[in-house]
Structure formats: C-alpha cells, structure tokens
Amino acid sequence: PDQERLSPALATVFFDRFVGLLTLIFFACVTGVFMIGRGESIRMFLSIAILLTIWIMGLVIVLNKKVADTIVKPFAVFIPNKIYERLRHLYHEVHSFRTQQVELSKIFLISIAVQGLRILTIWAIGRAMGDQSSILYYIIFVPIISLAASLPISIGGTGPREQTTILLFRRIGVP
C-alpha cells in the first residue's frame, strides 16, 4: 500500500483509540474520587490518576511538536531509520489533528458518548447475569480491562482481557 494513503488511515485509528482510552481513564479517575470514601484503597485511585497523567502527557506529545521533539528525538538513534521515518510520517498525520479544533471537539464528544455506552452495556450484561455491583465499579474496571486488552501480548486482546476481568471483579466478590 502507498505510504501516503496509509498514514492518514492509521493516524485516524490511532487517534480514535488513544482518545477512547483517555476518555475511559478519565471516567475511572473521576469515579475513583467517589470510591475512596466507600472503603476502596487510595492506591487504586492513585494508580488510575498516574495512568491518566501518562495519557495526558501522551496527548501533549501528540499535539505539541516542540515537546515531542524534546522528548522523542533522543530515542531516534535507537530506532532503525526506515521504522523511524514511518513513525515520523505517522506522527505528522496524527499531529495534523491539532489544527482541526472542531473535529477534535467532535472526536472527544463522540468518544465520551461511545465509551459511556460501552460501560453501560457491560454493566447491563453484568446485571443480566445477576451481578448487583455498583455501576461505579464498572466505570473504574472497564478502562483497566480495555487497557489490558490493548496490550500487544496476545491476539485481539484475548487472554489479558479475560484475566483482568476475573481479577478485578473477584476483588469485589463477583464469582
């Protein structure tokens, strides 16, 4: 495939996934504030807050070329030139979203709606299976499960997603 035609598509998919996870992590962080008072450990909230900070730093790197150059360029010597050029081209495509303020706003609003519906769907499935856990747990757990599924250690996220789901929901007494 022509690199010029492939990069905009890859950039769009990358940005969509990035914003989706950012939205989920934001939901989890906001919900985590309310869960601390319900007996949940502050460590879980701090972990989510750190994850949110890392994701926001990633967004800053994507949208601010000066910051990206300062942070990323020193690592360029460790990456083969052909791969570096492809990544650089992809970065420029993703970075082009910066100038499209209306589209960025739409992406974030759609992401909030879609990710909110995703959480509600998984919560409804849990309810249908007899789980009476608060939706707040789902708001916290779904981002963590999604992040585990997105790790490139399995085919299609199968395995890490299921194990993370079992680990988290067992923690609150779901069999």
Side-chain angles (χ1 to χ4, degrees):
D2 180 28
Q3 185 68 28
E4 294 297 319
R5 291 177 38 211
L6 187 59
S7 286
L10 283 174
T12 302
V13 170
F14 171 83
F15 202 71
D16 170 62
R17 301 294 157 80
F18 186 87
V19 170
L21 279 171
L22 175 65
T23 303
L24 281 173
I25 295 166
F26 176 75
F27 284 166
C29 195
V30 170
T31 304
V33 171
F34 298 105
M35 296 300 284
I36 293 171
R38 293 180 138 203
E40 289 301 323
S41 85
I42 196 161
R43 281 188 359 218
M44 184 169 63
F45 169 73
L46 290 176
S47 299
I48 295 168
I50 289 168
L51 192 57
L52 179 63
T53 303
I54 291 168
W55 232 253
I56 289 171
M57 287 172 37
L59 186 63
V60 169
I61 289 170
V62 165
L63 298 179
N64 188 319
K65 191 163 176 5
K66 286 182 183 181
V67 173
D69 285 344
T70 303
I71 293 173
V72 176
K73 276 204 175 177
F75 296 102
V77 296
F78 301 108
I79 301 171
N81 196 40
K82 187 175 181 179
I83 294 172
Y84 177 77
E85 285 304 314
R86 286 185 178 170
L87 290 173
R88 191 178 65 77
H89 189 71
L90 178 62
Y91 172 79
H92 287 293
E93 291 291 339
V94 172
H95 181 73
S96 71
F97 283 107
R98 181 177 182 262
T99 60
Q100 301 171 17
Q101 300 296 323
V102 173
E103 284 77 12
L104 265 178
S105 298
K106 287 179 185 177
I107 289 169
F108 276 97
L109 290 174
I110 290 170
S111 180
I112 289 168
V114 168
Q115 300 306 334
L117 288 171
R118 179 182 192 180
I119 292 168
L120 286 173
T121 301
I122 295 170
W123 175 73
I125 291 168
R127 287 287 179 171
M129 293 173 56
D131 179 24
Q132 297 300 312
S133 302
S134 168
I135 192 170
L136 297 177
Y137 287 107
Y138 284 82
I139 295 171
I140 290 176
F141 293 168
V142 169
I144 297 167
I145 294 165
S146 297
L147 191 60
S150 69
L151 295 174
I153 57 175
S154 68
I155 297 173
T158 304
R161 174 183 46 235
E162 289 75 16
Q163 290 301 314
T164 305
T165 302
I166 291 167
L167 176 76
L168 292 172
F169 281 96
R170 274 199 182 146
R171 185 176 183 276
I172 60 169
V174 177

